[in-house]
């Protein structure tokens, strides 16, 4: 092994007559390094989007919901809250009543989804509301917190008075005059993306009264320790619930975001692994030409007693060395750049005056990045395996060199 490694380095460092071989060898190294760098960086971006989805969207959107099928609301609410809070899968359960209607201000209307919550539920929304705005909301039972997008569209300021128009249906499904609720704006929420253009918070008692619910709340919002188990957990809870209720979880309302992230991650991984594979094919080309050029040297080694195994290992090590150099350089650059990608992109946005992600469209207005070491290890393993496989055929051809013909 040591002799094969020494011969591989000697062959690689020796001056070659055909510069084209050197160019292909260098291009394979650069291609593998570039593929590893881009793959790790883009996987880090996908990890960043998934992290922001979990920490930003899922702090406002409940992981799961149970809500009454009629106007009676949740029966025995306090007892059910106590029982469900004992479930080890559940981090918190909150009562809520949701209203959908129009927000009116100075003659202009905007659709809004108002969620009535208890005043002590601030830990769920504290990241999206400033302390001052939350305090204003908690102290006034007629107050409302609205999304920043709604406030911008209607030009609403703190302490403005707005009207919430809630549609009312009769038993024969006819619409009657909407219920009008006068609310004082206590502050604004900033979640990101389309949610800022539709969400609002009001007090639970006022929302329940406006919806005509007989109980204390229409339903319950669940925060789970593992949000990605919401589908199974909510169905397990819902099917065993003693009252007829509807079940829902975040994968039905916001699951498309998570599915899109996973789809892009898969496409990126496949595409860039193919890029690395193409770069490894250059190793095949360079080694085949190197074997042809080194035929006299191979013949001399064989006459000195070199075995086929030694010859095969020598050229495999030579090809793997090209791959390892590319992998080390690419992975090192990715480890340096990926954790700082958000800062780098923000700096480039300022320099060139462009905006990569618009907060009006996406749920974040910056490019997130989260380097995960399992991605680094997986990329290195795949690249090394491809590099080794690419060297097998040329190394096998080197063992077939005939000393008598090459030294003739």
């Amino acid at each position: 092994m040591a002799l094969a490694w020494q011969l591989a380095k000697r062959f690689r460092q020796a001056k070659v007559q055909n510069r084209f071989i050197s160019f292909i060898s260098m291009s394979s190294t650069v291609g593998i390094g570039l593929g590893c760098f881009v793959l790790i960086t883009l996987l880090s971006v996908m990890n960043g989007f998934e992290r922001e989805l979990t920490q930003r969207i899922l702090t406002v959107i409940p992981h799961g919901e149970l809500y009454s099928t009629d106007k009676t609301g949740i029966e025995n609410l306090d007892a059910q809250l106590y029982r469900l809070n004992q479930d080890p899968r559940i981090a918190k359960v909150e009562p809520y009543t949701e209203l959908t209607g129009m927000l009116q201000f100075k003659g202009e209307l905007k659709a809004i989804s108002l969620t009535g919550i208890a005043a002590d539920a601030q830990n769920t929304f504290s990241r999206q509301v400033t302390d001052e705005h939350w305090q204003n909301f908690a102290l006034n039972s007629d107050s409302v917190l609205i999304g920043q997008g709604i406030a911008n569209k209607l030009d609403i300021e703190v302490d403005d008075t707005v009207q919430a128009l809630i549609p009312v249906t009769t038993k024969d499904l006819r619409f009657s005059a909407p219920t009008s609720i006068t609310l004082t704006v206590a502050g604004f929420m900033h979640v990101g993306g389309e949610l800022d253009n539709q969400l609002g918070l009001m007090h639970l008692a006022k929302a329940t009264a406006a919806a005509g619910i007989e109980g204390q709340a229409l339903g319950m919002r669940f925060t789970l320790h593992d949000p990605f188990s919401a589908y199974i957990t909510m169905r397990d809870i819902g099917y065993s619930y003693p009252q007829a209720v509807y079940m829902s979880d975040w994968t039905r309302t916001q699951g498309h975001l998570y599915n899109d992230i996973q789809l892009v991650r898969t496409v990126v991984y496949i595409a860039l692994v193919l890029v690395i594979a193409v770069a490894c094919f250059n190793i095949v080309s360079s080694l085949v030409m190197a074997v042809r050029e080194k035929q006299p040297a191979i013949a001399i080694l064989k006459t000195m007693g070199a075995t086929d195994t030694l010859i095969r290992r020598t050229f495999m090590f030579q090809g793997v060395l090209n791959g390892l150099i590319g992998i080390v350089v690419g992975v090192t650059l990715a480890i340096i750049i990926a954790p700082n990608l958000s800062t780098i992109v923000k700096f480039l946005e300022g320099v060139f005056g462009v905006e990569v992600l618009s907060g009006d469209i996406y749920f974040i207005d910056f490019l997130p990045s989260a380097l995960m070491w399992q991605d680094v290890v997986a990329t290195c393993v795949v690249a090394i395996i491809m590099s080794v496989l690419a060297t097998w055929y040329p190394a096998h051809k080197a063992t077939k060199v005939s000393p008598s013909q090459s030294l003739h």
Side-chain angles (χ1 to χ4, degrees):
M1 296 290 288
L3 179 58
W5 183 254
Q6 186 176 359
L7 288 173
K9 291 193 293 183
R10 182 69 59 86
F11 282 168
R12 190 176 185 277
Q13 294 170 357
K15 294 182 178 179
V16 294
Q17 296 177 355
N18 191 344
R19 293 183 179 274
F20 185 61
I21 299 177
S22 298
F23 173 76
I24 294 180
S25 177
M26 182 186 66
S27 66
S28 66
T29 301
V30 172
I32 293 173
L34 185 61
C36 291
F37 166 72
V38 176
L39 178 56
I40 294 174
T41 302
L42 290 184
L43 288 177
S44 298
V45 172
M46 295 300 104
N47 295 334
F49 274 110
E50 188 173 321
R51 178 195 63 196
E52 292 299 321
L53 172 66
T54 304
Q55 296 182 356
R56 186 180 295 261
I57 299 296
L58 295 185
T59 56
V60 175
I61 299 298
H63 299 168
E65 294 175 286
L66 293 181
Y67 52 98
S68 175
T69 58
D70 52 38
K71 294 291 186 179
T72 59
I74 296 296
E75 300 173 358
N76 301 318
L77 177 62
D78 293 336
Q80 293 300 334
L81 289 175
Y82 178 81
R83 179 180 68 85
L84 291 170
N85 274 310
Q86 309 308 311
D87 192 319
R89 299 170 295 181
I90 300 173
K92 186 172 184 180
V93 187
E94 301 171 339
Y96 83 98
T97 297
E98 190 168 71
L99 302 172
T100 301
M102 304 294 291
L103 192 70
Q104 182 179 31
F105 182 70
K106 294 183 178 179
E108 296 188 25
L109 295 172
K110 179 71 175 69
I112 189 171
S113 176
L114 288 167
T115 301
I117 61 170
D120 60 353
Q122 75 177 70
N123 60 337
T124 304
F125 302 96
S126 59
R127 295 180 182 179
Q128 283 70 42
V129 183
T130 65
D131 293 338
E132 180 183 359
H133 288 176
W134 181 262
Q135 189 174 21
N136 293 339
F137 173 71
L139 293 176
N140 184 0
S141 61
D142 293 328
S143 61
V144 63
L145 294 168
I146 60 175
Q148 189 66 56
I150 300 176
N152 294 339
K153 184 173 181 60
L154 299 182
D155 196 22
I156 298 175
E157 301 290 343
V158 175
D159 294 331
D160 283 342
T161 300
V162 296
Q163 298 288 327
L165 305 178
I166 310 300
V168 178
T169 57
T170 59
K171 292 183 179 180
D172 57 359
L173 300 182
R174 294 181 180 180
F175 283 100
S176 60
T179 300
S180 178
I181 309 173
T182 301
L183 300 168
T184 302
V185 178
F188 311 115
M189 295 187 300
H190 179 64
V191 182
E194 190 59 30
L195 292 177
D196 280 350
N197 296 315
Q198 63 187 43
L199 287 182
L201 293 178
M202 61 186 299
H203 286 261
L204 177 62
K206 197 170 188 68
T208 300
I213 303 299
E214 298 174 8
Q216 302 179 52
L218 175 65
M220 294 178 289
R221 298 162 47 98
F222 292 78
T223 302
L224 306 178
H225 291 293
D226 180 13
F228 297 104
S229 68
Y231 182 87
I232 296 175
T233 301
M234 291 313 302
R235 275 147 188 78
D236 183 36
I237 296 173
Y239 289 141
S240 61
Y241 198 78
Q243 177 186 351
V245 291
Y246 293 118
M247 298 176 293
S248 181
D249 61 87
W250 71 271
T251 60
R252 294 183 64 251
T253 59
Q254 302 296 323
H256 63 280
L257 291 175
Y258 179 72
N259 293 333
D260 290 346
I261 291 172
Q262 298 306 312
L263 176 61
V264 172
R265 182 200 296 274
T266 302
V267 172
V268 164
Y269 197 85
I270 294 174
L272 291 176
V273 165
L274 291 177
V275 169
I276 297 174
V278 170
C280 289
F281 278 115
N282 286 339
I283 295 179
V284 178
S285 303
S286 63
L287 283 183
V288 167
M289 289 185 286
V291 168
R292 184 179 297 275
E293 185 184 38
K294 297 295 184 181
Q295 282 185 355
I298 297 171
I300 293 173
L301 287 171
K302 283 194 170 186
T303 59
M304 295 175 64
T307 63
D308 288 348
T309 301
L310 176 63
I311 300 299
R312 184 182 296 111
R313 286 176 178 175
T314 297
F315 284 93
M316 288 185 69
F317 285 162
Q318 184 178 347
V320 170
L321 186 59
N322 290 336
L324 286 177
I325 293 174
I327 292 170
V328 170
V329 173
V331 170
T332 301
L333 287 176
I335 291 175
I336 295 173
I337 292 177
N340 303 302
L341 189 61
S342 300
T343 304
I344 294 173
V345 171
K346 185 67 68 175
F347 172 76
L348 294 177
E349 286 180 341
V351 171
F352 295 103
V354 297
E355 191 175 25
V356 176
L357 295 177
S358 173
D360 296 333
I361 301 174
Y362 303 97
F363 65 91
I364 54 176
D365 57 1
F366 63 95
L367 191 67
S369 181
L371 180 66
M372 299 184 68
W373 288 105
Q374 52 263 43
D375 293 335
V376 176
V377 172
T379 300
C380 291
V381 170
V382 169
I384 290 173
I385 291 175
M386 286 185 175
S387 298
V388 172
L389 293 177
T391 63
W392 177 256
Y393 174 74
H396 181 70
K397 292 290 289 184
T399 63
K400 301 303 181 182
V401 173
S402 174
S404 59
Q405 295 180 356
S406 300
L407 298 177
H408 179 67

